[in-house]
Structures are given as C-alpha cells and as structure tokens.
Amino acid sequence: MEKKVTSPVVKGLIISLALIVFAVVTYLTNQLENKALGYLQYVILFAGIVWACISYANEKDNYVTFGNVFGHGFKTTAFVSAVMAVYVLLAFKVLFPELMDKSLEIARAEMEKNSALSEDDIDKGMDISRQYMTPIVVASTLFGLMFFGTIFSLIGAAIAKKKPVTPFDKSTEEVL
C-alpha cells in the first residue's frame, strides 16, 4: 500500500497559520517597529518550506527528483503567499483597521529622521502612502513571499534526501 502524501495545501495552511499567529502576536505586543523581530517571519517561512520539501521526499520514501521536491515546495509557497495576501488585506481593512495609522506613524517617524525632507514633502508622501498603502502592502506580501519561498523551495529540494532513480525500476514509475 502506497503512503499518502500530504498535499501542499495542508502544509501551506500550517505554515500560514504559524505566520498569522506570529503577525498577530507582533501586533498585539506593539513590536511593529522591531525590525529584527520582523525578520523572524522569514525564518518561519524558511523552516516551513524546507519542512514541506523534506516531508514530501520522506512520504515518497525518497524516490523523488529535485524537480518533484521543488515543485511541491513551490506549490506550498504559492498557497502560503495567497493566504497571507488575503490575511494582510483583512488585517488592514477588518481585523486591525488602526494598523494602517500605526504603520503610517512609523513611516512618518522614519521620514522625519531624513533631514533632506521638508515637512511639506513628508505630508505629501504621507497622503500618497495613505492612498496606496493597502494595495502596495498586499502586492509586496504576495510577491515577497513568492520570491523568498521559491528560493527556500530550491534549498529544500537540495536538502531533501533523494534515492537514485532508474527508468527500469517499477517502484519509481511515477517519479519519472
């Protein structure tokens, strides 16, 4: 009897849940400005995608190719990216509507540190930021996670143990 392979959707849901919990805890503990803590989301994504790749190879008894494992990791990444883009949209519009104002306050503080910008320039920048913030954050979440997830899928596919596959081996027909 062949082992059942956990789908990329299930693994993507698990990784997304971990990222959402991390984002909510970061917000609730008022750590939005903590840049070092912000990088931890990429550590979570890395660990999740590599775990997805390695567990896929193990579920297939390691009779996989680099491409099979990468494909599984990429599908998982695509699902995580889509879920997180929806979460970010919901966070800005429904769950934490004050998040936009907090984010803009942080951006204003960063702009004020730049002595080359006048108060008028900062106000204009803030008006533009307020207008386009949600689509920019959703798009950057989607494409940023896809970019890093693709790299992490490549790493996961390289790390996953693979047994040599020959075209004459009946047990590896579906791999080739």
Side-chain angles (χ1 to χ4, degrees):
M1 187 166 121
E2 190 174 323
K3 288 183 183 179
K4 180 128 173 97
V5 175
T6 307
S7 77
V9 171
V10 172
K11 292 175 183 173
L13 280 173
I14 293 168
I15 297 166
S16 297
L17 181 63
L19 287 169
I20 290 169
V21 167
F22 175 75
V24 169
V25 168
T26 301
Y27 174 76
L28 293 177
T29 58
N30 203 20
Q31 293 294 317
L32 293 176
E33 293 182 61
N34 188 340
K35 292 185 195 295
L37 192 59
Y39 293 119
L40 189 56
Q41 70 183 342
Y42 294 106
V43 173
I44 294 169
L45 180 66
F46 174 78
I49 298 298
V50 169
W51 160 74
C53 291
I54 291 172
S55 71
Y56 172 75
N58 290 340
E59 289 168 348
K60 295 286 233 167
D61 291 327
N62 300 319
Y63 285 109
V64 292
T65 64
F66 181 88
N68 296 133
V69 179
F70 171 74
H72 186 82
F74 187 80
K75 290 174 193 173
T76 304
T77 295
F79 190 79
V80 169
S81 298
V83 169
M84 292 307 295
V86 170
Y87 164 73
V88 166
L89 181 63
L90 288 173
F92 269 83
K93 295 295 184 183
V94 179
L95 301 173
F96 310 112
E98 68 281 358
L99 180 59
M100 182 181 292
D101 293 329
K102 285 186 176 185
S103 299
L104 288 171
E105 286 173 23
I106 293 168
R108 177 177 276 284
E110 289 294 318
M111 289 175 139
E112 288 172 349
K113 289 179 185 175
N114 185 351
S115 60
L117 295 174
S118 68
E119 191 65 33
D120 191 42
D121 290 339
I122 292 172
D123 290 338
K124 286 178 187 176
M126 297 298 2
D127 290 340
I128 292 170
S129 295
R130 181 174 301 286
Q131 187 176 6
Y132 296 108
M133 184 167 202
T134 302
I136 288 172
V137 170
V138 169
S140 64
T141 297
L142 183 64
F143 293 114
L145 289 176
M146 281 301 299
F147 175 77
F148 286 106
T150 300
I151 293 170
F152 299 157
S153 295
L154 288 168
I155 294 169
I159 291 173
K161 184 178 178 187
K162 296 169 272 308
K163 292 181 182 173
V165 179
T166 64
F168 305 108
D169 189 0
K170 294 264 189 219
S171 66
T172 60
E173 262 177 26
E174 70 274 354
V175 173
L176 301 173

